[in-house]
Amino acid sequence: MPITVADIQAPIAAEMELFEQKFKGQMKSDVMLLDQIMNYIVKRKGKQLRPMFVFLMAGVCGTISEATYRGASLIELLHTATLVHDDVVDESNYRRGFFSINALWKNKVAVLVGDYLLSRGLLLSVDNSDFDLLRIVSTAVRELSEGELLQLYKARRLDITEDIYYEIIRQKTASLIAACCAVGARSVGAAKEIVDQAHAFGEKVGIAFQIKDDLFDYGTAEVGKPLGIDIKEKKMTLPLIYALNKSGFLEKRRIINIIKNESEKPKKVNEVIAFVKNSGGIEYATEAMNHYVAEAQELLNNFPDSRYRQSLHQLVQYTIDRSK
């Protein structure tokens, strides 16, 4: 039987339910338009993997507290703000199969909503003197922005090496999961050394998570993003980087030319997908993903055994077993 989100959530089911209530309360506004949009955002929440990392790591390191709830809310508020702004930047009309905020209420409203969410998160921390948690999450948001900008810059040049790729995904994706784990540990008063270990664990999981996401671009599963979308957006992912490194000069030039100039043509995108598959790019990326998972599980074993730790082990496995 595959692991389900309900199985993983078992030790924190009551906390997650209470968190949902608290988070809804924090999203309320006296401005009717804002309240309407906040309700829309709350209703289309995903699997809530980020709060799960916060609560499970808090349980591993101590006793879940009010600061844990605030830390999870802070991450969700700031992360949601970045997603709302991302959709404006990307001119995206959909997010997880739903209309995006900018598609329904236009760009100006979406940008202001993102600003509002950001300010709610900052005030939640400042009003409760959660400065350690705010520092952890603010650092992650800064890194996330830097990673996005580095990827945009490199997409123009298409000269991403494996080292640069890992730096981009460490900042863009892994920094937030690392922050979730660090916030969970710090919210229960864990020492700096323990918080750093939790952060390192989350970073490994985040890198594996992103490689899995990159692999979806070459699969056939219904994953919520179209096949070959990364290629169309000129994103250099690990399977493609490996395939290009293995190819001869002429083949490499041909594939890069397709990505630069013909990535809007489905037939040409399929050519790139076939090239990557035939070059062993999928197997190489899968091996790299499994390597990071093994390192994450090893780090997790340094923490005392508990039902929370067992669920975290399951959550790590779930991030790479998921089909979307």
Side-chain angles (χ1 to χ4, degrees):
M1 286 283 289
I3 304 164
T4 66
V5 172
D7 294 333
I8 298 164
Q9 271 194 10
I12 53 163
E15 286 86 352
M16 288 297 291
E17 198 173 320
L18 181 55
F19 166 72
E20 198 169 326
Q21 293 169 22
K22 286 176 180 282
F23 188 63
K24 278 181 185 173
Q26 282 147 1
M27 296 282 270
K28 285 210 169 295
S29 166
D30 294 331
V31 178
M32 191 180 292
L33 175 60
L34 253 180
D35 204 39
Q36 185 184 0
I37 297 170
M38 293 302 109
N39 284 333
Y40 180 74
I41 289 171
V42 168
K43 281 178 185 172
R44 53 193 267 273
K45 63 181 174 56
K47 299 184 186 76
Q48 292 194 295
L49 296 183
R50 286 174 300 277
M52 284 166 64
F53 274 110
V54 175
F55 284 106
L56 287 172
M57 187 55 81
V60 165
C61 297
T63 303
I64 291 168
S65 66
E66 280 300 313
T68 311
Y69 288 96
R70 293 195 298 270
S73 291
L74 170 63
I75 282 174
E76 284 296 270
L77 285 164
L78 266 60
H79 180 57
T80 305
T82 64
L83 294 182
V84 171
H85 284 161
D86 279 352
D87 288 340
V88 174
V89 171
D90 296 339
E91 299 177 348
S92 175
N93 289 326
Y94 296 95
R95 166 82 51 186
R96 292 199 201 101
F98 293 90
F99 282 114
S100 60
I101 304 302
N102 51 296
L104 292 173
W105 287 281
K106 305 303 176 189
N107 285 348
K108 189 172 182 179
V109 171
V111 170
L112 292 170
V113 164
D115 293 346
Y116 173 77
L117 289 165
L118 180 64
S119 66
R120 287 302 296 257
L122 296 174
L123 284 169
L124 176 65
S125 294
V126 172
D127 288 347
N128 291 281
S129 300
D130 293 328
F131 300 116
D132 284 355
L133 306 187
L134 183 56
R135 180 181 292 277
I136 291 167
V137 181
S138 296
T139 301
V141 173
R142 186 205 74 209
E143 289 206 296
L144 196 153
S145 304
E146 287 175 352
E148 287 282 5
L149 285 165
L150 178 58
Q151 186 172 58
L152 282 170
Y153 171 68
K154 288 293 182 180
R156 293 175 187 165
R157 299 164 60 96
L158 294 182
D159 62 350
I160 292 181
T161 61
E162 269 196 42
D163 286 348
I164 293 172
Y165 165 80
Y166 279 117
E167 182 58 16
I168 287 170
I169 67 169
R170 184 194 66 75
Q171 291 186 308
K172 231 186 82 169
T173 303
S175 63
L176 196 66
I177 296 178
C180 291
C181 297
V183 161
R186 189 71 198 107
S187 73
V188 296
K192 184 182 184 302
E193 182 188 343
I194 302 298
V195 174
D196 289 346
Q197 281 185 33
H199 189 278
F201 159 76
E203 190 168 277
K204 302 279 186 192
V205 178
I207 290 171
F209 184 96
Q210 185 58 54
I211 295 173
K212 176 69 175 184
D213 222 46
D214 294 346
L215 284 164
F216 283 144
D217 212 43
Y218 300 92
T220 54
E222 183 57 54
V223 295
K225 74 173 190 179
L227 189 68
I229 193 70
D230 289 339
I231 296 165
K232 288 170 190 164
E233 292 177 358
K234 300 177 176 54
K235 289 179 184 172
M236 299 287 280
T237 58
L238 189 58
L240 178 58
I241 292 166
Y242 174 80
L244 287 170
N245 286 342
K246 277 203 70 182
S247 64
F249 174 76
L250 290 176
E251 180 74 341
K252 186 174 184 176
R253 191 169 69 174
R254 184 180 75 84
I255 296 297
I256 287 176
N257 182 61
I258 289 174
I259 296 166
K260 271 186 177 176
N261 304 310
E262 301 182 280
S263 62
E264 294 303 312
K265 300 175 183 174
K267 188 180 173 184
K268 290 295 183 180
V269 169
N270 287 335
E271 271 186 52
V272 178
I273 291 170
F275 160 75
V276 169
K277 287 182 173 178
N278 293 334
S279 303
I282 306 302
E283 291 80 5
Y284 180 79
T286 302
E287 191 179 323
M289 177 184 72
N290 289 332
H291 169 75
Y292 278 99
V293 166
E295 286 192 340
Q297 301 285 29
E298 197 176 322
L299 279 170
L300 190 53
N301 284 332
N302 293 330
F303 293 92
D305 191 19
S306 66
R307 59 196 184 124
Y308 300 106
R309 194 185 81 172
Q310 289 160 20
S311 273
L312 265 181
H313 275 299
Q314 290 178 321
L315 184 51
V316 173
Q317 197 59 41
Y318 178 83
T319 62
I320 64 158
D321 287 345
R322 65 199 165 97
S323 59
K324 58 182 178 179

